[in-house]
């Protein structure tokens, strides 16, 4: 049932051979085909402009008032590419190996190698678009390191890399819009997927300003709607980030892969009180120069500068001397949690650790640190009121990136023909843990370099859709309207925001940085009870034919309540520790993750049934190019 469509031959030749064998469409015939793209982040904007440039009709949908509001704008630290500008031993192969190892040997080799291979051309394209990457005095592009690697391969634009890359993609998008083959629908949210004979042929959207629910037909549908880390409520993601597009596709038959693999970023600002609804990310790039430590003597109220060196525990440097403060995110986050749980946490809620730049400032001078990280330090001061040049930052792990997502094959197409899924919305490239600065890379590579080939290859075998509406489209509209009516009719006394907060608390405490079977079973019951309460106690004011933020939120939380139960189910079935999935029952004597390659060397792929149950399929992973081994950063 699962056909990953990995091309034959040596891994270095797979993508070249695939492109050589792709079906093509005559340029004059391309304008007869229409593609719908949902999402305008880096993956969505890049694939939309690329397909439009090729001559296809493209309709783009975003629930934002501008494509530039997509969450790609929030990425800070950089984008990886194996250019080896530092002459420090980097290569496509080393980047491929680092990524597979970083994902704890739970990713598909062919997809990862292709991402590393395409990284070279992407940087050149971004520069041509005007992305202002940092440069050395000589004029060469500058690089720095990120977690899980021992080379410098991360290109960056201060702490605004995502914003600058998205600006380039947005310019390409707007250009194609002016040319006339691309139409942008802002303030439209996808609420359903339309299938014809089992193939994706359109979507149902709601105009968030007027409430109009309408079907839109096309020859293929591309979802580039980002991740679902906001399901944990307190996360680094923007408040509007959600899983509705991919979850609605899942309910129509698209398989969901590895839902429990959610990354916690080690350098988020800590929660300071119950009033907070999100947390702020501080770039991983800070770990190049900042040293992470906690006081050895717990629960003593002292200023960090009053704590002598011998009473500080630089625990990452102690536990992982080869990588130190640049240990991968999953390992660094769990190590921070261990220190906090042991009573060594700092800050008002004792839920943080220190990230200290004292040594770097003494070594390089404040001016150098300002040049590298000045905007991040300014942001930290604006939020906390503290000066990180004179005292350490306070950081804490926070829900961040979804390695899981809709299952896709090598062509980035789901098991539903005609439904392509790009960027963080799919599961494809990161395994059980993502290395920093690979997120922007995957989104751009998927949109600029991969999907234009694979989508055309698919469309070449398809007859153009002729009808603007079909019985299935009308049925999908009816389903969507009934769903919204149901949410409005409950008329309880609890808001969707309150349900989301309760949901996040259950997931964070019982299916977060560490997981235990007994707690997962408790979470399963609690989430089911919360869902039942949702359908009895939810209150949504207003109506569906006007702007209604409460209705938007209720729909997204309804989907989160279902997805959360699948996350727990996936965590329960995987009796091993790998990457971001840490089961306390499966750890080494030193407290490290203990994989079970004999029984769990697969990606869990879930099918949703009409009865509301989930069927598990397994994509078995083969490691031909890289020998699977113990993942160690010591």
């Amino acid at each position: 049932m699962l056909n990953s469509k990995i091309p034959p031959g040596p891994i270095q030749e797979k993508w070249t051979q695939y492109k050589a064998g792709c079906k093509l469409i005559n340029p004059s015939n391309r304008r007869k085909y229409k593609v719908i793209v949902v999402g305008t982040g880096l993956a969505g904007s890049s694939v939309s402009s690329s397909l439009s440039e090729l001559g296809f009709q493209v309709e783009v949908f975003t629930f934002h008032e501008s494509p530039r509001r997509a969450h790609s704008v929030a990425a800070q630290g950089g984008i990886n590419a194996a250019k080896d500008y530092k002459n420090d031993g980097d290569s496509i192969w080393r980047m491929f190996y680092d990524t597979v190892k970083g994902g704890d040997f739970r990713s598909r080799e062919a997809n990862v190698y292709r991402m590393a291979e395409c990284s070279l051309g992407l940087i050149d394209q971004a520069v041509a678009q005007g992305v202002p990457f940092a440069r050395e005095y000589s004029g060469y592009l500058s690089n720095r390191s990120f977690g899980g690697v021992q080379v410098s391969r991360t290109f960056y634009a201060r702490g605004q890399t995502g914003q600058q890359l998205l600006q380039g993609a947005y310019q390409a998008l707007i250009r194609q819009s002016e040319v006339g083959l691309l139409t942008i629908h802002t303030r439209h949210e996808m609420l359903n997927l339309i299938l014809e004979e089992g193939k994706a042929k359109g979507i149902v959207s709601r105009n968030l300003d007027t409430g109009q629910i309408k079907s839109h037909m096309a020859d293929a549908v591309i979802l580039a709607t980002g991740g679902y880390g906001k399901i944990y409520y307190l996360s680094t993601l923007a408040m509007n980030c959600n899983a509705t597009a991919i979850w609605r596709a899942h309910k129509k038959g698209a398989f969901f892969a590895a839902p429990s693999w959610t990354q916690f970023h080690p350098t988020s600002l800590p929660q300071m009180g119950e009033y907070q609804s999100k947390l702020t990310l501080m770039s991983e790039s800070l770990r190049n120069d900042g040293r992470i430590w906690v006081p050895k003597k717990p629960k003593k109220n002292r200023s960090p500068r009053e704590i002598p060196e011998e009473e500080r525990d630089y625990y990452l440097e102690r536990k992982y001397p080869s990588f130190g403060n640049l240990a991968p995110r999953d390992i660094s986050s769990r190590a921070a949690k261990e220190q906090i749980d042991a009573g060594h946490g700092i800050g008002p809620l004792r839920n943080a650790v220190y990230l200290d730049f004292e040594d770097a400032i003494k070594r390089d001078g404040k001016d150098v640190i300002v040049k590298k990280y000045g905007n991040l330090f300014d942001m930290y001061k604006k939020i906390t009121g503290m000066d990180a040049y004179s005292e350490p930052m306070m950081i804490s792990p926070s829900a961040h990136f979804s390695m899981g997502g809709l299952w896709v094959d090598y062509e980035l197409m789901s098991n539903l023909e005609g439904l392509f899924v790009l960027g963080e919305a799919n599961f494809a490239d990161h395994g059980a843990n993502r290395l920093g600065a690979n997120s922007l890379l995957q989104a751009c590579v998927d949109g600029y370099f991969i999907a234009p080939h694979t989508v055309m290859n698919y469309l070449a075998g398809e007859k153009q859709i002729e009808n603007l509406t079909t019985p299935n489209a009308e049925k999908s509209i009816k389903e969507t309207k009934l769903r919204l009516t149901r949410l409005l009719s409950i008329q309880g006394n609890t808001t969707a925001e309150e349900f989301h907060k309760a949901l996040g608390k259950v997931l964070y405490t019982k299916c977060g940085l560490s997981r235990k079977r007994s707690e997962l079973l408790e979470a399963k019951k609690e989430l089911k009870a919360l869902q039942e309460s949702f359908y009895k106690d939810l209150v949504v004011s207003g109506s569906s034919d006007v702007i209604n933020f409460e209705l938007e939120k209720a729909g997204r939380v309804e989907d989160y309540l279902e997805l959360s139960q699948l996350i727990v189910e996936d965590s329960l079935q995987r009796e091993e520790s790998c990457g971001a999935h840490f089961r306390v029952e499966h750890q080494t004597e030193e407290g490290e993750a203990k994989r079970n390659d004999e029984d769990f060397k697969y990606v869990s792929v879930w099918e949703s049934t009409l009865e509301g149950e989930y069927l598990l399929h397994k994509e078995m992973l083969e490691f031909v190019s890289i020998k699977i081994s113990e993942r160690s950063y010591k």
Side-chain angles (χ1 to χ4, degrees):
M1 181 175 280
L2 292 174
N3 179 9
S4 58
K5 298 181 187 175
I6 299 173
I11 198 164
Q12 297 92 335
E13 300 174 11
K14 288 183 186 295
W15 181 231
T16 301
Q17 292 301 319
Y18 175 86
K19 290 188 291 183
C22 270
K23 298 173 187 175
L24 301 176
I25 300 174
N26 184 295
S28 62
N29 287 334
R30 292 175 194 165
R31 65 177 64 95
K32 300 175 183 177
Y33 291 89
K34 180 185 285 187
V35 179
I36 283 174
V37 179
V38 185
T40 57
L42 277 173
S45 290
S46 60
V47 74
S48 298
S49 57
S50 297
L51 289 172
S52 178
E53 185 78 45
L54 288 170
F56 294 102
Q57 298 178 59
V58 181
E59 281 199 72
V60 184
F61 293 81
T62 175
F63 60 68
H64 295 293
E65 66 272 18
S66 165
R68 286 185 295 177
R69 290 295 301 274
H71 195 60
S72 296
V73 76
Q76 297 171 347
I79 181 170
N80 287 334
K83 287 282 201 179
D84 195 28
Y85 281 174
K86 293 286 189 180
N87 196 30
D88 57 358
D90 202 8
S91 65
I92 293 173
W93 185 268
R94 190 176 293 276
M95 183 175 177
F96 162 56
Y97 177 81
D98 286 344
T99 304
V100 172
K101 177 186 174 183
D104 218 348
F105 300 92
R106 290 293 178 263
S107 53
R108 191 189 289 154
E109 277 192 339
N111 287 63
V112 176
Y113 190 89
R114 177 175 63 184
M115 182 175 72
E117 182 181 358
C118 292
S119 71
L120 305 183
L122 176 60
I123 298 301
D124 298 334
Q125 167 149 334
V127 170
Q129 285 181 326
V131 175
F133 286 124
R135 292 180 180 271
E136 305 288 354
Y137 180 77
S138 62
Y140 286 111
L141 296 182
S142 184
N143 292 135
R144 57 190 179 199
S145 292
F146 258 54
V149 304
Q150 292 177 310
V151 297
S152 296
R153 67 164 66 104
T154 304
F155 295 76
Y156 61 98
R158 297 192 79 190
Q160 305 169 345
T161 314
Q163 179 181 344
Q164 299 299 337
L165 285 166
L166 187 61
Q167 184 66 26
Y170 172 74
Q171 290 173 156
L173 186 73
I174 295 303
R175 177 187 182 277
Q176 291 308 113
S177 175
E178 291 299 313
V179 168
L181 279 178
L182 185 149
T183 305
I184 302 172
H185 302 274
T186 57
R187 296 285 294 153
H188 280 68
E189 183 169 25
M190 173 188 161
L191 294 180
N192 215 337
L193 180 70
I194 300 170
L195 301 180
E196 299 290 340
E197 298 179 354
K199 297 181 179 180
K201 293 295 181 183
I203 67 167
V204 173
S205 74
R206 178 174 180 267
N207 184 318
L208 299 181
D209 292 330
T210 67
Q212 182 188 31
I213 295 172
K214 187 179 176 181
S215 63
H216 309 267
M217 306 302 289
D219 300 293
V221 175
I222 298 174
L223 301 184
T225 52
Y228 50 88
K230 190 63 187 172
I231 197 169
Y232 283 86
Y233 190 71
L234 282 176
S235 80
T236 63
L237 278 69
M239 287 301 295
N240 278 339
C241 291
N242 65 84
T244 286
I246 59 174
W247 190 253
R248 291 292 117 192
H250 175 64
K251 299 283 280 186
K252 281 295 180 80
F255 292 167
F256 208 114
S260 65
W261 289 346
T262 301
Q263 182 175 80
F264 284 71
H265 200 291
T267 53
S268 161
L269 297 190
Q271 181 184 9
M272 304 296 279
E274 287 296 317
Y275 58 87
Q276 283 179 263
S277 57
K278 80 172 296 293
L279 300 173
T280 302
L281 174 68
M282 299 304 294
S283 170
E284 181 175 311
S285 62
L286 294 169
R287 294 200 281 150
N288 274 281
D289 289 295
R291 299 181 71 193
I292 295 172
W293 62 274
V294 292
K296 290 181 180 179
K297 296 179 180 179
K299 297 182 180 179
K300 287 190 71 175
N301 290 316
R302 290 187 291 175
S303 162
R305 290 293 176 246
E306 294 175 353
I307 302 174
E309 191 73 14
E310 63 272 15
E311 292 184 24
R312 301 179 180 188
D313 182 8
Y314 296 90
Y315 58 88
L316 287 176
E317 297 173 29
R318 170 173 56 80
K319 294 180 69 175
Y320 309 102
S322 293
F323 286 76
N325 296 295
L326 285 173
R329 290 179 176 180
D330 58 326
I331 289 172
S332 299
S333 291
R334 279 200 303 275
K337 183 178 185 295
E338 287 173 7
Q339 297 298 325
I340 293 166
D341 289 348
H344 296 279
I346 54 93
L349 300 182
R350 302 285 183 188
N351 61 346
V353 298
Y354 287 126
L355 178 61
D356 197 339
F357 287 85
E358 182 180 23
D359 288 352
I361 291 171
K362 287 179 180 177
R363 181 185 67 240
D364 300 328
K366 182 179 176 180
D367 289 347
V368 172
I369 301 303
V370 170
K371 186 177 179 181
K372 284 183 176 180
Y373 313 112
N375 61 315
L376 295 170
F377 278 61
D378 291 344
M379 183 171 70
Y380 182 81
K381 186 171 185 178
K382 187 176 290 186
I383 294 169
T384 66
M386 293 184 279
D387 180 10
Y389 295 110
S390 59
E391 60 181 313
M393 288 183 180
M394 293 188 295
I395 59 168
S396 181
S398 175
H400 180 57
F401 185 91
S402 311
M403 280 77 69
L406 291 187
W407 181 89
V408 292
D409 58 24
Y410 187 76
E411 297 179 314
L412 304 184
M413 186 161 66
S414 78
N415 59 296
L416 297 178
E417 288 190 51
L419 179 64
F420 294 82
V421 191
L422 276 56
E424 193 177 352
N426 74 32
F427 88 103
D429 291 1
H430 306 297
N433 172 64
R434 176 177 67 84
L435 292 184
N438 271 349
S439 174
L440 298 180
L441 174 64
Q442 182 205 0
C444 290
V445 163
D446 283 0
Y448 287 126
F449 295 145
I450 300 174
H453 295 284
T454 63
V455 172
M456 190 189 304
N457 181 62
Y458 168 75
L459 292 175
E462 288 293 297
K463 184 180 178 182
Q464 302 98 347
I465 195 163
E466 297 175 351
N467 299 323
L468 294 178
T469 187
T470 67
N472 283 337
E474 293 298 326
K475 182 182 177 183
S476 296
I477 289 175
K478 187 176 180 181
E479 290 172 357
T480 303
K481 288 181 176 179
L482 285 172
R483 178 179 172 229
L484 297 182
T485 300
R486 181 187 183 189
L487 294 174
L488 286 163
S489 67
I490 297 171
Q491 291 300 301
N493 55 13
T494 307
T495 64
E497 184 78 1
E498 290 173 285
F499 278 109
H500 189 184
K501 196 170 186 178
L503 161 63
K505 194 168 186 178
V506 173
L507 278 184
Y508 193 88
T509 56
K510 297 182 178 178
C511 190
L513 273 164
S514 61
R515 292 120 188 233
K516 187 187 299 183
R517 183 171 185 81
S518 59
E519 292 181 350
L520 288 170
L521 290 172
E522 289 172 5
K524 192 173 180 179
K525 291 179 182 178
E526 291 174 25
L527 291 171
K528 191 69 176 175
L530 195 61
Q531 184 182 41
E532 291 171 359
S533 175
F534 179 85
Y535 289 119
K536 290 189 298 183
D537 302 323
L538 174 72
V539 59
V540 179
S541 57
S543 64
S544 63
D545 56 359
V546 293
I547 293 175
N548 192 333
F549 297 113
E550 285 298 309
L551 182 59
E552 295 170 32
K553 178 76 178 183
R556 295 164 188 170
V557 173
E558 181 184 32
D559 292 331
Y560 272 158
L561 283 165
E562 293 186 0
L563 173 56
S564 65
Q565 293 176 65
L566 182 57
I567 288 174
V568 172
E569 196 68 37
D570 189 50
S571 300
L572 276 167
Q573 66 85 29
R574 188 166 284 276
E575 292 284 353
E576 67 162 352
S577 291
C578 61
H581 171 67
F582 187 79
R583 285 284 297 271
V584 296
E585 302 95 334
H586 304 288
Q587 56 182 303
T588 65
E589 292 181 358
E590 296 176 321
E592 303 294 340
K594 188 175 182 181
R595 284 198 328 262
N596 180 347
D597 296 324
E598 185 175 344
D599 299 318
F600 292 95
K601 195 172 62 174
Y602 62 77
V603 174
S604 52
V605 183
W606 296 91
E607 177 184 0
S608 188
T609 69
L610 293 174
E611 295 76 27
E613 299 295 324
Y614 299 108
L615 296 178
L616 174 62
H617 305 280
K618 300 176 182 179
E619 181 188 344
M620 305 308 296
L621 296 170
E622 295 183 11
F623 295 92
V624 178
S625 302
I626 294 177
K627 183 180 178 182
I628 194 167
S629 61
E630 180 186 355
R631 181 179 178 233
S632 174
Y633 293 91
K634 293 183 180 298

